[in-house]
């Protein structure tokens, strides 16, 4: 008579969105089971306790025997049930909205934010560095999700057009003086 023993790994450790050259990086906030991390569409590596030490390992590659054993229904599923990455992983799609999909998720970023290279967080767009001279006669100051024009004396910006222009009063006064 033969018996088969199945071990269930219940450890909770760090989940990483990047694994390159044997190094784990970009840990998600919190600790997770290996099956949740590696079977989700988010995790690329797992381990290292809750501190992210070097003791981590890559998640099995899709299509391999190890992946089939860990995630028999494929990425995005545990025990035939869809993983809701939006609720399972805190901070998913920060500065945006997370939408769960069958086997995955999608992020839609708030205005002034763009998706990071891993597709899991929305990061601030620095309009000042990509829109040179956007403020005209003023200095551009990046703020979370937007930018502000600090205008030189005698100039002002409007909410509609974030550009520094001469104040209307000064322009009208100059026109009046010229007509005299």
């Amino acid at each position: 008579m033969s018996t088969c023993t199945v071990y269930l790994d219940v450890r909770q450790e760090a989940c990483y969105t990047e694994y390159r050259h044997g190094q784990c990086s970009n840990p998600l906030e919190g600790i997770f089971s290996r099956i949740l991390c590696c079977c989700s569409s988010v995790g690329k590596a797992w381990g290292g306790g809750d501190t992210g030490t070097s003791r981590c390992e890559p998640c099995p590659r899709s299509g391999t025997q190890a992946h089939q054993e860990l995630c028999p229904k494929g990425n995005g599923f545990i025990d035939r049930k869809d993983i809701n990455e939006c609720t399972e992983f805190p901070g998913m799609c920060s500065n945006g909205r997370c939408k769960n999909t069958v086997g995955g998720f999608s992020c839609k970023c708030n205005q002034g934010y763009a998706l990071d290279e891993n597709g899991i967080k929305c990061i601030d767009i620095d309009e000042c560095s990509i829109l040179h001279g956007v403020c005209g006669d003023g200095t551009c100051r990046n703020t979370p999700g937007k930018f502000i024009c600090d205008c030189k004396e005698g100039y002002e910006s409007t909410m509609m057009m974030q550009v520094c222009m001469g104040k209307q009063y000064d322009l009208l006064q100059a026109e009046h003086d010229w007509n005299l």
Side-chain angles (χ1 to χ4, degrees), residues 38-122:
C38 293
C39 293
S40 72
S41 55
V42 177
K44 302 291 185 267
W46 177 84
D50 60 356
T51 58
T53 61
S54 60
R55 189 175 81 8
C56 70
E57 59 190 63
C59 291
R61 290 182 188 248
S62 291
T64 63
Q65 181 67 31
H67 187 269
Q68 178 65 28
E69 290 170 7
L70 185 64
C71 316
K73 292 301 264 178
N75 277 342
F77 297 92
I78 296 178
D79 298 329
R80 298 189 185 124
K81 187 176 173 210
D82 177 60
I83 298 169
N84 185 341
E85 291 86 354
C86 301
T87 58
E88 293 289 345
F89 297 100
M92 188 62 62
C93 301
S94 60
N95 297 308
R97 290 174 302 289
C98 185
K99 180 180 180 187
N100 189 50
T101 60
V102 176
F105 70 100
S106 65
C107 290
K108 183 169 173 61
C109 296
N110 296 339
Q111 186 172 345
Y113 292 87
L115 211 50
D116 71 353
E117 64 185 46
N118 295 309
I120 62 169
K121 291 182 181 175
C122 298

